[in-house]
Amino acid sequence: MKEIEDTDPDVYEKMTASMRFTQEQKIHLNGEEFRIEYGSAAGAISRLRLLQILAAGCRDVGVNLHFETPVDSADDLDGYDLIVASDGANSRLRQEREVEFGTERRILGNRFAWYGVARPMEPMALIFRTFEEGTFIGHYYAYSDAMSTFVTECDERTWYKFGLDRMTDDERKAEMERVFAPELMGERLIANHSIWRQFPAVTNEHFYSGNIVLLGDSQRVAHFSIGSGTRLAMEDAAALHQAFQECEQDVAAALARFEHIRRPGRQKFGEAARLSFEWYEEVARHMQQPLVPFIHDFLTRTGRINEERLRAYAPGFYDAYQSFRDSARPQ
Ligand SMILES: Cc1cc2nc3c(=O)[nH]c(=O)nc-3n(C[C@H](O)[C@H](O)[C@H](O)COP(=O)(O)OP(=O)(O)OC[C@H]3O[C@@H](n4cnc5c(N)ncnc54)[C@H](O)[C@@H]3O)c2cc1C
């Protein structure tokens, strides 16, 4: 948010006015739960509202926006000085030049779908549940006074064991309403293109080729379990803006500068995302632990939170973990 404020104070103000902040998260493991009070707040915003704010910000500086206008190939944009390929995880423009970008792709085993719920579900929560011998994860958070996001996930073994692979999307949704009935409390899941899929972890060795630059998910798809894809995309945009301020009209120099600014951040988050999705791919095994060591394992899975940082990041949980360790020590 600080970076957005520095780049565009007007967009920052509109965003914070529309965001819902929280410091609390419930982590539930098979009937037991712990409420974590984090040292800093997390913010959520309706995707539609965010897009409206960004589109208004574009218009304010004279950008001519075209909607519902697919670009099938970079050839369609012949003659432009610069092509910003921010066309998402399945970027067409990247796919045309995968060798030049050095694209690598790994398809994960877990399956997930993204739903909504017409109620602010608070505190935000992560539900790890063994249900009829299947392994399920529910991740929900309120993003407005009336709505919540509810991401449902299962591991690959569960996907086939439950026959989810042979069901229609409506049947899968009904199964998730059964698995997460205690949390939904009679509320239905709301589908909106809620297609079950496997996560494509994509990275690119190079961030630009000629005058085409990759931004956001087209450049790297950070796993949703580290919840930072939107942030990374906006930081990319801010860095591209900075690079052009420094290099003015020199496109080649600005793109080299952009890659230089973003490479360290990419490496840091790329590694964190990999460790995080690998933890989720093995979630059934981690769920064999008691609640407190399980949460410790979860919070430290990316290697970015050591004991020192944990104390500041989640002080109440840090104390609970110390007590657990003391009680588990042989007398
Ligand atoms: C289940 C799930 C949960 C997530 N949770 C979070 C979270 O909590 N926090 C977070 O920060 N991030 C989260 N993310 C990630 C976040 O959604 C993405 O990282 C972010 O949207 C990337 O922004 P982007 O602009 O790069 O791509 P997108 O938001 O995908 O935008 C790409 C745009 O390009 C357009 N487009 C695509 N192809 C073409 C074409 N050929 N021609 C013209 N236009 C085209 C699309 O219509 C779209 O408007 C989550 C993702 C998933 C899947």
Side-chain angles (χ1 to χ4, degrees):
M1 294 305 292
K2 176 80 179 75
E3 202 155 332
I4 293 168
E5 186 180 15
D6 291 346
T7 308
D8 193 326
D10 188 42
V11 162
Y12 168 83
E13 264 172 42
K14 286 187 183 142
M15 278 179 68
T16 41
S18 301
M19 286 174 83
R20 201 175 173 95
F21 292 94
T22 177
Q23 294 192 213
E24 200 184 4
Q25 183 180 40
K26 180 173 84 178
I27 299 192
H28 176 112
L29 173 66
N30 287 329
E32 282 190 282
E33 57 193 41
F34 191 97
R35 284 181 179 229
I36 301 182
E37 188 77 32
Y38 290 106
S40 57
I45 187 168
S46 145
R47 177 67 47 148
L48 190 57
R49 180 73 192 122
L50 176 65
L51 294 177
Q52 285 166 345
I53 294 168
L54 295 177
C58 285
R59 287 195 191 93
D60 287 349
V61 292
V63 176
N64 188 5
L65 299 172
H66 301 264
F67 293 92
E68 306 290 332
T69 312
V71 175
D72 292 322
S73 161
D75 297 343
D76 297 356
L77 301 170
D78 208 21
Y80 286 91
D81 302 322
L82 172 70
I83 301 173
V84 180
S86 56
D87 49 347
N90 297 313
S91 167
R92 286 283 261 280
L93 299 188
R94 183 195 65 221
Q95 282 167 17
E96 276 188 333
R97 298 186 178 208
E98 291 204 342
V99 175
E100 288 91 328
F101 288 123
T103 307
E104 284 188 20
R105 186 180 288 99
R106 177 170 160 194
I107 307 294
L108 304 185
N110 283 11
R111 309 302 203 267
F112 70 92
W114 211 352
Y115 299 103
V117 177
R119 172 162 66 83
M121 297 183 69
E122 288 179 320
M124 65 173 171
L126 262 172
I127 311 294
F128 295 91
R129 177 161 294 145
T130 310
F131 181 86
E132 296 174 2
E133 295 180 36
T135 303
F136 294 93
I137 307 162
H139 177 189
Y140 61 79
Y141 49 89
Y143 65 82
S144 74
D145 292 343
M147 292 296 296
S148 301
T149 295
F150 201 121
V151 183
T152 58
E153 184 176 354
C154 69
D155 65 7
E156 185 154 48
R157 188 190 64 85
T158 304
W159 176 253
Y160 292 111
K161 183 177 160 47
F162 263 68
L164 286 159
D165 58 318
R166 298 185 298 278
M167 289 183 192
T168 64
D169 282 333
D170 281 348
E171 289 167 339
R172 291 179 187 132
K173 185 167 89 68
E175 278 298 270
M176 292 308 111
E177 286 167 343
R178 223 160 59 78
V179 172
F180 296 108
E183 287 73 31
L184 289 169
M185 296 191 298
E187 204 77 56
R188 308 296 302 268
L189 289 171
I190 301 165
N192 178 12
H193 305 294
S194 302
I195 299 154
W196 279 82
R197 53 203 171 96
Q198 289 164 270
F199 193 85
V202 176
T203 56
N204 289 279
E205 183 54 30
H206 306 291
F207 299 175
Y208 66 95
S209 165
N211 67 341
I212 303 178
V213 60
L214 302 176
L215 213 97
D217 274 8
S218 70
Q219 187 196 102
R220 112 297 279 137
V221 195
H223 192 243
F224 56 85
S225 62
I226 63 165
S228 290
T230 307
R231 169 154 78 97
L232 292 174
M234 293 177 83
E235 285 176 356
D236 282 347
L240 190 62
H241 173 253
Q242 182 193 331
F244 271 96
Q245 278 193 320
E246 288 173 17
C247 303
E248 299 187 346
Q249 303 291 318
D250 188 341
V251 173
L255 296 187
R257 177 78 187 123
F258 167 72
E259 185 163 316
H260 180 76
I261 298 170
R262 290 305 283 155
R263 187 167 289 281
R266 189 204 84 150
Q267 272 159 352
K268 198 170 73 176
F269 274 96
E271 183 62 3
R274 184 184 66 76
L275 290 164
S276 185
F277 69 60
E278 282 179 352
W279 189 92
Y280 274 87
E281 292 284 283
E282 295 284 321
V283 68
R285 182 168 60 78
H286 299 302
M287 284 167 60
Q288 302 302 315
Q289 304 175 80
L291 179 69
V292 170
F294 170 78
I295 295 176
H296 182 266
D297 203 22
F298 168 74
L299 291 177
T300 56
R301 70 195 184 284
T302 64
R304 298 185 67 218
I305 305 238
N306 56 22
E307 295 305 298
E308 185 87 5
R309 283 191 72 189
L310 184 64
R311 188 203 289 255
Y313 179 66
F317 176 75
Y318 177 84
D319 292 344
Y321 183 65
Q322 297 310 316
S323 305
F324 172 85
R325 280 220 312 214
D326 290 346
S327 66
R329 240 179 232 133
Q331 299 298 315

